[in-house]
């Protein structure tokens, strides 16, 4: 059977809210107690301008650090160099785009024209990369075109965690095959066979550029990797490791007395990558699928004590593998507290890949039966659950929320101890999930694709989303340092691009 999810109903966890500054009645631009003459930005894919499941020239040019540097220039800020792809390589790592619509469903393809089902998109896995002949191992690990100038001030590296900042050879793929710790986005910022760590790279950039102001938005990937893999692969960084390495990065940035801004981690479980395909929507689709008469007959004949009313209510339901309260993996019916990751859309209802005859994710549901009867039904006709890797179940959602709170307390503590500005991204984004935002009279909602604020990968913002982020960071900077840096008109930046 074919199951479709409705993008227009999706809520985006990183949707952006809050009104734009009053551009007509803003105070006279001023740097206040800050000095924006030399600005650098540290972070991950969000800092780099990643969007639509790729890093490409347009996104880099409209990254939030680039937008902020543009506004800093109004109050004495200097030039801001980014590691931009050249025009000949403007599609960078590759990205996704909307080619058209089939009914209400967008057709999403890679920029080279090959079809990429939106449900197959995984954040941080671009569709292609452009540096022919530079792959060391295989096409599975292609390398990006390097940025050769030594003037970089945007140090955003897609995929990097705080846990990675001291990893050896993080930007160099060696014969010893360190592919698990290698990041091609970092490699393109280095020269030759450089073996520096990311912390070492930040220290070098600080020594060379002598920044007077910085932003640091690291930390999101320390939670996101766990969440996007359904809690099955990448562990969330421990408090001790996060504290040590986050403090080391911030110490490096403040060595010369620079002022700056730190940003907290949004609750990644609110992202459209996790909220677009809901158990309720899947079950609504399944409700239209008739249960074969042979199955009903088998359950009727089994010694389960089913009443005629129960037999008449037999239906298909969504089943998942999930963690129990004791940490064991169990098979159970999905609930509203469980989150399906976006790739689950192409798996639910697809043909079984095991001996189980049910399509994947399906099982029998009989409302109102006892636990003993339910166990009998499962034994007689076992469900074919979605694997745990495609589900952020209720226990794992709780883990994400708890650990996000703990890591954010560390970030806030570092900001307070060093007297830095703090953008509480978690609080801000959580509020916008509920309310959306009106920007200069233009309504921007939390709807996936049509809401203007989030790109086609369901994780990263559009240029408009990045503009709103820049404005919110500027607000926090103005409040901390008595500055009056103007915001931008976010409506001048695009949302999702339609053909």
């Amino acid at each position: 059977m074919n199951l479709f999810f409705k993008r227009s109903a999706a809520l985006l966890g990183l949707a952006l809210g809050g009104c734009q500054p009053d551009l007509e009645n803003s105070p006279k631009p001023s740097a206040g107690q800050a000095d924006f003459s030399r600005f650098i930005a540290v972070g991950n894919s969000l800092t780099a301008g990643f969007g639509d499941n790729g890093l490409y020239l347009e996104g880099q040019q409209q990254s939030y650090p680039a937008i902020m540097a543009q506004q800093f220039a109004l109050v004495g800020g200097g030039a801001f160099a980014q590691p931009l792809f050249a025009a000949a390589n403007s599609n960078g790592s590759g990205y996704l785009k909307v080619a058209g619509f089939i009914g209400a469903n967008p057709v999403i393809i890679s920029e080279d024209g090959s079809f990429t089902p939106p449900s197959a998109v995984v954040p941080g896995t671009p569709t292609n990369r452009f540096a022919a002949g530079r792959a060391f191992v295989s096409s599975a690990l292609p390398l990006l075109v390097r940025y050769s100038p030594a003037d970089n001030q945007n140090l955003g590296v897609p995929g990097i965690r705080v846990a990675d900042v001291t990893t050896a050879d993080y930007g160099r793929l060696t014969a010893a095959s360190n592919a698990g710790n290698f990041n091609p986005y970092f490699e393109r910022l280095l020269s030759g066979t450089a073996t520096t760590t990311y912390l070492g790279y930040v220290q070098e950039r600080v020594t060379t550029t002598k920044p007077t102001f910085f932003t640091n938005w690291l930390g999101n990937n320390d939670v996101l990797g766990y969440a996007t893999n359904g809690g099955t692969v990448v562990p969330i960084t421990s408090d001790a490791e996060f504290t040590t390495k986050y403090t080391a990065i911030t110490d490096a940035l403040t060595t010369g007395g620079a002022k700056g801004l730190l940003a907290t981690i949004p609750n990644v479980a609110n992202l459209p990558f996790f909220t677009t395909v809901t158990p309720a929507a899947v079950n609504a689709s399944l409700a239209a699928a008739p249960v074969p008469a042979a199955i009903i007959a088998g359950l009727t004949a089994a010694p389960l004590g089913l009443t005629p009313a129960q037999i008449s209510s037999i239906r298909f339901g969504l089943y998942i593998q999930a963690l129990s309260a004791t940490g064991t993996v169990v098979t159970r019916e999905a609930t509203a507290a469980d989150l399906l990751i976006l790739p689950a859309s192409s798996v639910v209802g697809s043909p079984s890949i095991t001996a189980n005859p049910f399509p994947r994710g399906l099982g029998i549901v009989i409302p109102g039966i006892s636990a003993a009867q339910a166990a009998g039904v499962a034994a007689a006709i076992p469900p074919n659950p979605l694997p745990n890797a495609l589900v952020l179940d209720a226990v794992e959602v709780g883990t994400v929320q708890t650990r996000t709170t703990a890591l954010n307390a560390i970030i806030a503590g570092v900001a307070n101890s060093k007297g830095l500005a703090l953008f509480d991204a978690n609080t801000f984004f959580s509020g916008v999930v509920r309310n959306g935002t009106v920007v200069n009279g233009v309504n921007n909602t939390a709807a996936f694709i049509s809401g203007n604020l989030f790109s086609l990968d369901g994780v990263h913002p559009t240029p408009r989303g990045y503009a709103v982020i820049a404005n919110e960071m500027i607000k926090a900077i103005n409040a901390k340092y008595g500055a009056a840096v103007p915001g931008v008109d976010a409506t001048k930046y695009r949302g999702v691009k339609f053909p």
Side-chain angles (χ1 to χ4, degrees):
M1 69 188 66
N2 293 319
L3 302 176
F4 299 95
F5 56 87
K6 294 188 180 296
R7 298 174 181 277
S8 60
L11 293 180
L12 308 193
L14 286 185
L16 308 171
C19 294
Q20 293 294 324
D22 186 339
L23 300 178
E24 294 183 357
N25 300 305
S26 296
K28 181 179 179 180
S30 165
Q33 302 153 22
D35 177 357
F36 301 108
S37 58
R38 295 182 301 278
F39 168 49
I40 66 172
V42 164
N44 48 47
S45 54
L46 296 169
T47 300
F50 197 99
D52 297 321
N53 208 44
L55 183 66
Y56 58 105
L57 181 59
E58 183 194 9
Q60 291 178 304
Q61 292 170 328
Q62 299 180 84
S63 67
Y64 75 79
I67 296 170
M68 293 175 72
Q70 165 190 297
Q71 300 309 104
F72 291 163
L74 301 175
V75 293
F80 182 68
Q82 295 196 101
L84 301 177
F85 288 105
N89 305 108
S90 62
N91 41 11
S93 67
Y95 58 93
L96 300 175
K97 65 182 182 181
V98 176
F101 290 84
I102 298 176
N105 297 302
V107 176
I108 298 177
I109 63 173
S110 68
E111 41 66 42
D112 64 359
S114 62
F115 176 71
T116 302
S119 55
V121 173
V122 177
T125 310
T127 55
N128 53 13
R129 295 170 181 163
F130 293 82
R134 293 194 61 225
F136 180 84
V137 176
S138 69
S139 60
L141 284 170
L143 303 181
L144 295 156
V145 175
R146 265 186 167 145
Y147 179 74
S148 57
D151 60 355
N152 183 30
Q153 292 167 263
N154 185 332
L155 315 188
V157 174
I160 194 170
R161 303 171 300 161
V162 170
D164 298 321
V165 302
T166 59
T167 298
D169 288 331
Y170 190 63
R172 180 169 179 254
L173 189 62
T174 68
S177 186
N178 61 330
N181 293 323
F182 171 73
N183 188 321
Y185 294 99
F186 185 40
E187 192 265 356
R188 76 174 293 263
L189 302 182
L190 304 179
S191 60
T193 57
T195 60
T196 185
T197 64
Y198 184 76
L199 174 59
Y201 181 66
V202 172
Q203 291 168 332
E204 180 277 319
R205 289 285 77 209
V206 169
T207 299
T208 301
T209 64
K210 296 178 174 55
T212 58
F213 199 86
F214 68 87
T215 57
N216 176 4
W217 198 7
L218 284 169
N220 297 310
N221 289 328
D222 292 81
V223 180
L224 185 65
Y226 170 89
T228 56
N229 288 282
T232 62
V233 180
V234 183
I236 298 176
T237 307
S238 70
D239 286 1
E241 182 178 19
F242 192 93
T243 299
T244 298
K245 295 180 177 179
Y246 191 89
T247 301
I249 286 285
T250 309
D251 284 347
L253 291 166
T254 55
T255 296
K259 293 180 171 63
L261 172 139
L262 308 183
T264 62
I265 305 166
N267 179 6
V268 300
N270 286 332
L271 287 165
F273 188 77
F274 302 97
T275 60
T276 299
V277 187
T278 66
V282 172
N283 279 321
S285 297
L286 295 177
V291 178
I295 292 178
I296 296 176
L299 291 172
T300 302
L304 300 174
L306 298 177
T307 67
Q310 290 171 335
I311 292 171
S312 66
S313 68
I314 293 173
R315 61 173 174 83
F316 284 119
L318 176 64
Y319 278 78
I320 61 172
Q321 288 181 333
L323 290 180
S324 69
T326 60
T328 59
V329 177
V330 298
T331 294
R332 61 168 174 80
E333 189 177 2
T335 72
D338 302 311
L339 304 178
L340 307 183
I341 69 173
L342 191 57
S345 174
S346 63
V347 176
V348 177
S350 65
S352 177
I353 59 174
T354 69
N356 191 311
F358 280 161
R360 300 178 72 184
L362 272 65
I364 290 297
V365 174
I366 307 177
I369 62 175
S370 67
Q373 287 175 311
V377 170
I381 306 178
N384 191 0
L386 284 180
N388 195 20
L390 292 176
V391 181
L392 196 66
D393 63 56
V395 172
E396 293 161 342
V397 170
T399 297
V400 165
Q401 293 170 341
T402 299
R403 299 295 298 120
T404 297
T405 299
L407 298 184
N408 281 341
I410 294 168
I411 294 171
V414 173
N416 290 335
S417 69
K418 292 186 172 293
L420 300 171
L422 180 69
F423 169 42
D424 190 350
N426 192 26
T427 297
F428 173 68
F429 293 148
S430 294
V432 176
V433 167
R434 297 188 296 270
N435 303 317
T437 180
V438 175
V439 179
N440 290 345
V442 177
N443 190 35
N444 298 272
T445 74
F448 188 25
I449 296 182
S450 64
N452 295 324
L453 298 174
F454 267 78
S455 72
L456 297 174
D457 59 31
V459 172
H460 298 89
T462 59
R464 182 173 298 180
Y466 280 125
V468 179
I469 289 175
N471 280 342
E472 292 302 315
M473 288 188 170
I474 287 172
K475 287 179 184 178
I477 291 167
N478 287 345
K480 179 66 177 180
Y481 298 113
V485 179
V488 298
D489 180 355
T491 62
K492 303 298 185 184
Y493 296 79
R494 73 166 177 84
V496 169
K497 185 184 295 185
F498 296 100

